[in-house]
């Protein structure tokens, strides 16, 4: 089972938002770039995290599909790209 607690953060160095998925009681970090947030949702630089909150369901569904396909990065995270949304 995959669930999504309301945990998200912004990394200013990587310009990525991270939302957390819980998969079989393990946390999986699901990352989405500022570029994807701008392209898909029209997010401005000062409202990137607001965009994550506003489009939480779409982002979570994309993350869920990637997890179910075992599409993990080397570090165990999931990278949500514009085409995944």
């Amino acid at each position: 089972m995959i669930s999504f607690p309301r945990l998200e953060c912004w990394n200013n160095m990587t310009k990525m938002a991270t939302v957390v998925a819980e998969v079989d009681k393990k946390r999986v970090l699901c990352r989405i770039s500022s570029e994807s947030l701008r392209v898909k949702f029209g997010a401005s630089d000062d409202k990137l995290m607001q965009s994550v909150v506003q489009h939480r369901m779409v982002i979570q569904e994309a993350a869920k599909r990637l997890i179910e396909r075992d599409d993990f990065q080397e570090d165990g995270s999931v990278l949500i790209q514009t085409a995944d949304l």
Side-chain angles (χ1 to χ4, degrees), residues 23-38:
V23 183
D24 300 325
K25 298 187 181 186
K26 295 179 187 169
R27 287 192 172 171
V28 175
L29 302 180
C30 307
R31 297 188 172 103
I32 183 168
S33 71
S34 59
E35 183 65 23
S36 290
L37 293 169
R38 279 191 213 91

Side-chain angles (χ1 to χ4, degrees), residues 7-26:
L7 295 174
E8 63 262 333
C9 67
W10 178 257
N11 184 322
N12 208 32
M13 291 184 67
T14 62
K15 304 292 186 207
M16 303 273 266
T18 301
V19 296
V20 174
E22 288 188 355
V23 183
D24 300 325
K25 298 187 181 186
K26 295 179 187 169

